[in-house]
Amino acid sequence: MLHYLNDRALPVDNMVIHDWVKYFDMVKRDGSAKTAGTILTRIKSILGWAEKRGLVEPFNLVLNLNVSDVGEQASVGQRVLQLDEIAKLWLHIESTRATLAIKSCLQLIFITGARQSEVRLAKWEHFDFENDVWSVPPENSKTNKAIRRPISSLMKEILNKLATVYGNFEYIIPGSNPRKPMTTHRTVIVVVFGSNYLKNTTCLNSYLMMHADHYPHY
């Protein structure tokens, strides 16, 4: 990574402000001012983590830089997928060679508005098929509050397929071990899979986050 930060491959401990500013100027030239601001924030987080573990010297000079010094603050995207885009993506998902687990994870996010972690960590015991209610326990919720969502007929179809292929031992979308959930890494593949098709990562990510925030549940 060092050769990306400076052309002399200096360790971060030896980089002076000029080296950092030169790097962020390159990011702005090849990307955008918002990208530079975002990278600065992430670098500061990484160095803070490394400093606490004694991997880098304390008080690195880059920590004195503000986003306004190197670029701009990233704005929160407001665009969400249109219905025709969701339909195209849904059909494309069905036609691919992706595993049933990956297909189902993305489809359940779409039709329920749930967060990826809520779907990934969902267990069969959370589903009341007699009353058609999916209960997300507090430990799986970002707000640490229980969430109750209705089970639609389409959702039942997806769940039935999952049960047929993977069984209904514990997690509805199991990982390589049927007793454990699909990993976060696999979930990232789900998002990349969809965004590559639409050629608009921001659009898909905005849909997944905003739909989860605004979907009506009880």
Side-chain angles (χ1 to χ4, degrees):
M1 175 175 149
L2 290 176
H3 65 283
Y4 290 107
L5 294 177
N6 61 83
D7 51 13
R8 292 175 291 165
L10 288 174
V12 292
D13 289 332
N14 296 341
M15 290 177 65
V16 298
I17 286 294
H18 172 74
D19 296 316
W20 287 109
V21 171
K22 184 177 180 181
Y23 166 71
F24 287 113
D25 284 343
M26 179 198 70
V27 174
K28 284 193 291 187
R29 184 189 69 239
D30 297 340
S32 69
K34 291 181 179 180
T35 300
T38 298
I39 291 178
L40 171 63
T41 301
R42 293 181 179 176
I43 286 178
K44 292 171 85 169
S45 296
I46 292 170
L47 289 178
W49 178 90
E51 181 181 320
K52 292 177 181 178
R53 289 159 179 77
L55 301 176
V56 297
E57 294 295 325
F59 309 115
N60 192 285
L61 293 175
V62 74
L63 299 177
N64 295 324
L65 291 175
N66 298 316
V67 170
S68 58
D69 296 326
V70 302
E72 299 176 9
Q73 192 74 38
S75 57
V76 178
Q78 295 298 316
R79 170 150 146 60
V80 298
L81 294 180
Q82 301 300 311
L83 291 178
D84 63 318
E85 293 173 320
I86 296 175
K88 290 177 182 178
L89 179 57
W90 190 282
L91 292 174
H92 184 71
I93 292 171
E94 291 285 8
S95 65
T96 64
R97 297 181 180 179
T99 65
L100 178 65
I102 291 179
K103 290 181 181 181
S104 299
C105 183
L106 189 52
Q107 290 174 332
L108 288 174
I109 290 173
F110 277 164
I111 64 177
T112 65
R115 296 180 180 277
Q116 60 84 11
S117 58
E118 294 170 1
V119 173
R120 188 171 60 83
L121 299 177
K123 296 182 178 181
W124 288 105
E125 65 190 58
H126 300 157
F127 294 84
D128 178 357
F129 291 104
E130 290 187 6
N131 298 301
D132 290 336
V133 174
W134 170 27
S135 298
V136 179
E139 60 269 23
N140 291 356
S141 168
K142 182 179 180 180
T143 61
N144 293 318
K145 295 180 180 179
I147 300 173
R148 287 160 55 86
R149 290 190 171 93
I151 300 176
S152 66
S153 57
L154 179 56
M155 189 176 176
K156 282 184 178 179
E157 290 181 20
I158 296 173
L159 292 172
N160 286 335
K161 289 180 182 179
L162 289 169
T164 299
V165 174
Y166 302 112
N168 54 356
F169 301 108
E170 190 164 1
Y171 295 95
I172 64 169
I173 303 181
S176 55
N177 183 331
R179 300 289 181 179
K180 294 183 178 181
M182 185 170 68
T183 63
T184 303
H185 171 70
R186 297 291 290 174
T187 308
V188 171
I189 293 176
V190 169
V191 176
V192 173
F193 170 81
S195 59
N196 282 346
Y197 174 65
L198 290 178
K199 306 300 182 183
N200 191 337
T201 305
T202 302
C203 176
L204 181 63
N205 286 344
S206 295
Y207 174 83
L208 296 182
M209 291 186 290
M210 293 181 65
H211 195 46
D213 288 335
H214 299 293
Y215 188 88
H217 46 73
Y218 60 96

